[in-house]
């Protein structure tokens, strides 16, 4: 598969980082196949994070997600490039917890959030971007967000 899905989360959008973040991918040779801005509703975000919600044992995690996303705008993209694009995008994005991300990754460059700070503030970690982790996720997430 030479396509992947990314979503710029509300924290990236509120900070006006969309174009700066997307430039990381286009500068790396990727092409934007589709893009859109979506006003998030409860059903959409719960479907997107269904498996994460089932796995995470943090009390109130689902409610935190709802507060962070519902009624907010996200930017969604399908990117194309060479074989291995899913892994390459995830390398450019960096680890889920921004404070552990290398300063040359998107999360390391634009966020210093941590799980501890997020817990103290009763919210999910603000890590700017979601990137699909498998071909199956690309198909599922593209269908969910673009249909």
């Amino acid at each position: 598969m030479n396509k992947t899905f990314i979503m710029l989360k509300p924290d990236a959008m509120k900070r006006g980082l969309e174009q700066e973040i997307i430039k990381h991918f286009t500068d790396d040779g990727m092409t934007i196949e589709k893009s859109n801005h979506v006003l998030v509703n409860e059903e959409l975000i719960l479907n997107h994070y269904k498996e994460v919600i089932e796995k995470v044992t943090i009390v109130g995690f689902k409610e935190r997600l709802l507060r962070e996303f519902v009624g907010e705008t996200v930017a969604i993209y399908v990117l194309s490039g060479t074989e291995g694009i899913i892994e390459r995008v995830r390398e450019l994005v960096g680890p889920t917890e921004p404070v552990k991300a290398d300063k040359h990754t998107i999360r390391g460059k634009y966020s210093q959030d941590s799980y501890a700070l997020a817990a103290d503030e009763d919210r999910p970690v603000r890590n700017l971007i979601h990137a699909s982790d498998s071909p199956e996720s690309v198909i599922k997430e593209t269908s969910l967000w673009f249909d």
Side-chain angles (χ1 to χ4, degrees), residues 107-126:
R107 288 176 174 152
K109 184 174 182 177
Y110 299 109
S111 178
Q112 287 300 304
D113 204 12
S114 67
Y115 292 138
L117 181 59
D120 287 347
E121 295 179 359
D122 193 32
R123 60 170 175 78
V125 67
R126 292 186 177 137

Side-chain angles (χ1 to χ4, degrees), residues 85-99:
I85 190 171
I86 294 169
E87 295 80 12
R88 180 63 185 145
V89 164
R90 291 177 65 81
E91 286 173 18
L92 290 170
V93 168
T96 303
E97 187 175 16
V99 295

Side-chain angles (χ1 to χ4, degrees), residues 6 8 13 18 31 39 42 44 49 71 80 82 86 99 102 111-112 114 116 120 128 131 133 141 146:
I6 62 169
L8 301 187
M13 300 301 288
E18 182 176 5
T31 302
L39 184 64
E42 185 172 328
L44 194 53
Y49 281 113
S80 65
T82 59
I86 294 169
V99 295
D102 182 277
S111 178
Q112 287 300 304
S114 67
D120 287 347
L128 306 169
D133 61 2
E141 294 165 356
F146 280 99

Side-chain angles (χ1 to χ4, degrees), residues 26-45:
T26 57
D27 284 353
D28 200 66
M30 296 174 205
T31 302
I32 298 168
E33 294 287 323
K34 292 188 205 179
S35 67
N36 201 4
H37 288 173
V38 177
L39 184 64
V40 179
N41 63 41
E42 185 172 328
E43 181 182 359
L44 194 53
I45 205 63

Side-chain angles (χ1 to χ4, degrees), residues 27-83:
D27 284 353
D28 200 66
M30 296 174 205
T31 302
I32 298 168
E33 294 287 323
K34 292 188 205 179
S35 67
N36 201 4
H37 288 173
V38 177
L39 184 64
V40 179
N41 63 41
E42 185 172 328
E43 181 182 359
L44 194 53
I45 205 63
L46 290 178
N47 280 331
H48 178 83
Y49 281 113
K50 185 176 192 270
E51 286 113 25
V52 175
I53 292 167
E54 290 169 358
K55 289 179 191 174
V56 172
T57 58
I58 299 168
V59 175
F61 179 74
K62 176 179 163 184
E63 291 73 20
R64 291 176 183 178
L65 280 176
L66 292 173
R67 282 195 310 269
E68 191 78 7
F69 282 90
V70 173
E72 300 294 341
T73 299
V74 297
I76 54 173
Y77 288 83
V78 172
L79 303 174
S80 65
T82 59
E83 193 68 32

